[in-house]
């Protein structure tokens, strides 16, 4: 139901709803959809995704249902084929869309459900317009950027918003920076939607940079130019969020407002913080950003309930100990490559009262002469995240052996679980060539392999297990202890599986098979016995972890690391 009537109006002093008011939801639903377009200027990496997510969190705190959409100007159809080295992690939604990592932020900050429809790329838009043109659906007309491409963008935004009938506000983040050639059709589509919806129903929020130059002076000129660039696209921003080293004073805000044709009260600061990005909803809230936004959108809303965010910050401030977790992977130089994993570790720290120090180790380093213990060092836990391809696999196996033999808590995610299987085959069962057929097709011990029916599929996309699926957990296992239930739904993104041919030998040698698909045809989780906490799962629990509700597996892994005896967690101030 739309927002105007969903809250308890009598609480707000509006009295009882009249029959006419009760009918309004449908009318409002048809005519009064609220849009917020978030764009960025000056340069990239200002935190546009986080700003859009924080706005979503604030509106949810006001009792509204938000739908978050990302428009990516790149020509790739989706992020599935992009290298994590260059583009960061591929975020996977419940319905198996391989999307930009910003969607991960949306899910961590808001509770709105995301699907394929929430990620719109230039590649998808052109693909579908060209297909329609080939089918003759444009009736012989010349197919152009305006209106055909922009109409396709608009249709996609509206259809994503339509997926949940009770959506109140649609927040559309436009990737890239104003002035980029690629962003122009998206900004034009936004301009048209703002124009068609009316100013009260659609807003532009623009994020810019206020740099500090030598002498400590803040410079507003780049922001003025950025807003001019927006105006050239036909969009007058309604709200400005200025990324600055510290909170802008009234005089600076007034100056910015004067030069950008805005009201001073609509100029906000996203200042540099050394705590956590999850403080940003509260930073905006304390500047009354949500109030200004709702006023401009003409939305009556209930009192803000940001209790979960304040409680989360309290947990952040109350963390007592520090635990060191080694992340042994292959895309270590770019933080964004394992973004959801790092975030999930942080969330787990909030719930277990510890600050997680992440020690990032490129697994190829473990393949040289330097002793493993020296490289991994004094850590309290080892995590091997997902990955594709052969490089660095031997180093990961070394890390798993080290964690298993030294009884260091271990979490293996997807590839990290496959590494556990390979390691067990090689070192416990004594099969030196135990491997995944992804890395060695001719091994005599293919302990990880494709399913038979996948073997002849040539198209890569056709063999990938993607998106949400059910796992059934066995009693008396670490995984059941973590989830406190026996049926769970988590997200997958992989091709290879625990090879069923080896189930018996693995089991008999002491590996615990702790979860299966409902038909028991695939192994979803394995655990080390005779070990404090060693577990691998074929799915990616990091995608569903939130700052206000950590993934149960990450939580228990970090708790085990905190409680491990050797080496002990150190006090935060040490
Ligand atoms: N490369 C492995 C597979 O395809 C693991 C994938 C992953 O870790 N996401 O099965």
């Amino acid at each position: 139901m739309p927002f105007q009537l969903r809250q308890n109006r009598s609480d707000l002093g509006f009295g009882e709803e009249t029959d006419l008011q009760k009918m309004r939801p449908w009318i409002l639903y048809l005519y009064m959809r609220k849009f917020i377009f978030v764009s960025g200027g000056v340069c990239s990496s200002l935190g546009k995704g986080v700003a859009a997510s924080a706005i979503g969190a604030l509106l949810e705190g006001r009792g509204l249902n938000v739908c978050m959409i990302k428009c990516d100007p790149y020509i790739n159809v989706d992020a599935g084929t992009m290298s994590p080295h260059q583009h960061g992690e591929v975020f996977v939604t419940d319905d198996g869309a391989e999307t930009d990592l910003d969607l991960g932020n949306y899910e961590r900050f808001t509770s709105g459900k995301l699907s394929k429809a929430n990620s719109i790329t230039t590649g998808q838009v052109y693909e579908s317009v060209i297909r329609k043109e080939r089918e003759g659906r444009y009736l012989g007309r010349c197919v152009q950027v305006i209106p055909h491409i922009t109409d396709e963008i608009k249709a996609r935004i509206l259809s994503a918003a339509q997926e949940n009938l009770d959506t109140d506000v649609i927040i559309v983040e436009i990737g890239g920076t104003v002035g980029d050639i690629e962003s122009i059709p998206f900004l034009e589509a936004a301009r048209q939607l703002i124009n068609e919806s009316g100013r009260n129903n659609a807003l532009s929020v623009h994020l810019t940079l206020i740099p500090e130059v030598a002498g400590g002076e803040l410079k507003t000129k780049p922001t003025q130019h950025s807003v001019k660039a927006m105006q050239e696209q036909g969009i007058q921003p309604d709200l400005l969020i200025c990324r600055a080293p510290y909170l802008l004073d009234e005089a600076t805000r007034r100056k910015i407002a004067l030069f950008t044709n805005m009201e001073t009260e609509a100029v906000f600061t996203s200042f540099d913080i050394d705590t956590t990005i999850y403080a940003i909803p509260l930073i905006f809230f304390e500047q009354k950003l949500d109030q200004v936004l709702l006023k401009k959108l003409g939305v009556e809303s209930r009192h803000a309930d940001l209790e979960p965010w304040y409680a989360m910050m309290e947990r952040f401030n109350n963390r007592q100990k520090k635990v060191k977790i080694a992340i042994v992977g292959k895309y270590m130089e770019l933080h964004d490559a394992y973004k959801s994993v790092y975030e999930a570790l942080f969330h787990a720290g909030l719930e277990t009262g510890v600050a997680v120090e992440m020690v990032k180790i490129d697994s190829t380093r473990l393949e040289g002469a330097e002793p493993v213990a020296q490289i991994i060092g004094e850590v309290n836990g080892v995590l091997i995240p997902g990955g594709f391809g052969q490089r660095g696999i031997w180093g990961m196996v070394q890390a798993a052996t080290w964690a298993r033999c030294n009884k260091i808590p271990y979490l293996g995610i997807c590839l990290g679980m496959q590494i556990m299987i390979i390691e067990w085959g090689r070192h416990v069962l004594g099969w030196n060539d135990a491997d995944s057929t992804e890395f060695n097709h001719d091994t005599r011990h293919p302990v990880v392999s494709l399913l038979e029916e996948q073997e002849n599929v040539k198209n890569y996309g056709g063999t990938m297990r993607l998106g949400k699926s059910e796992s059934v957990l066995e009693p008396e296992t670490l995984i059941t202890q973590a989830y406190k239930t026996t049926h769970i739904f988590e997200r997958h993104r992989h091709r290879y599986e625990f090879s069923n041919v080896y189930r018996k030998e693995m089991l008999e040698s002491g590996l615990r098979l702790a979860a299966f698909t409902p038909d028991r045809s695939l192994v979803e989780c394995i655990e080390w016995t005779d070990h404090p906490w060693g577990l691998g799962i074929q799915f990616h629990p990091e995608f569903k972890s939130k700052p206000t509700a950590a993934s149960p597996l990450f939580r228990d892994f970090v708790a085990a690391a905190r409680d491990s005896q050797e080496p002990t967690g150190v006090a935060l101030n040490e």
Side-chain angles (χ1 to χ4, degrees), residues 239-300:
L239 247 81
L240 216 51
I241 301 179
C242 302
R243 182 70 194 265
Y246 44 84
L247 188 66
L248 298 178
D249 60 20
E250 176 77 14
T252 314
R253 288 169 61 219
R254 207 173 316 122
K255 180 178 171 193
I256 295 169
L258 179 70
F259 279 101
T260 55
N261 209 16
M262 303 196 45
E263 296 147 328
T264 309
E265 68 157 18
V267 179
F268 300 92
T269 321
S270 176
F271 50 84
D272 296 347
I273 41 173
D274 56 6
T275 50
T276 158
I277 53 165
Y278 301 114
I280 292 178
L282 298 175
I283 286 173
F284 287 174
F285 176 69
E286 279 156 21
Q287 296 175 57
K288 301 194 172 41
L289 186 146
D290 55 333
Q291 278 183 33
V292 173
L293 204 61
L294 293 177
K295 193 171 94 190
K296 284 183 181 288
L297 285 172
V299 176
E300 302 154 2

Side-chain angles (χ1 to χ4, degrees), residues 386-388 414-415 418 438 493-496 540:
F388 293 82
C414 205
L415 175 64
Q418 298 172 359
E438 180 181 3
R493 181 175 185 249
H494 61 102
R495 295 190 182 88
Y496 296 82
H540 289 265

Side-chain angles (χ1 to χ4, degrees), residues 29-73:
Y29 177 69
L30 290 175
Y31 297 110
M32 292 185 65
R33 323 216 68 187
K34 304 286 179 180
F35 290 95
I36 298 173
F37 293 93
V38 182
S39 56
V42 183
C43 63
S44 59
S45 304
L46 296 181
K48 186 154 40 79
V50 171
S53 308
I55 290 174
L58 286 183
L59 296 183
E60 282 197 343
R62 292 269 178 184
L64 304 178
N65 289 336
V66 300
C67 165
M68 310 276 312
I69 298 173
K70 176 80 193 282
C71 293
D72 272 306

Side-chain angles (χ1 to χ4, degrees), residues 13 20 113-114 143 165 195 197 205 236 277 286 288 326 342 375 392 409 465:
L20 187 65
K113 278 278 145 268
L114 298 177
V143 180
L165 285 180
N195 200 34
S197 314
V205 174
Q236 166 62 51
I277 53 165
E286 279 156 21
K288 301 194 172 41
Y342 299 143
I375 300 170
R465 201 169 150 214

Side-chain angles (χ1 to χ4, degrees), residues 321-386:
K321 275 185 163 183
K322 191 160 75 179
V323 299
K324 274 191 180 183
I325 303 287
I327 297 108
V328 184
K330 50 197 299 179
Y331 320 114
M332 303 319 295
E333 60 292 344
L334 183 68
H335 180 82
D336 279 352
Y338 295 119
K339 181 145 181 70
S340 294
V341 169
Y342 299 143
E343 293 302 314
L345 281 170
F346 175 80
H347 305 158
L350 293 176
E351 272 183 40
T352 52
V354 299
V356 179
E357 183 185 329
M358 300 175 207
V359 184
K360 299 175 185 175
I361 298 170
D362 188 320
S363 60
T364 52
R365 274 186 63 202
L366 297 165
E367 297 176 348
E370 204 180 341
V372 176
Q374 203 164 305
I375 300 170
I376 297 190
E378 297 271 290
V379 295
N380 308 99
V382 173
L383 186 152
I384 300 193

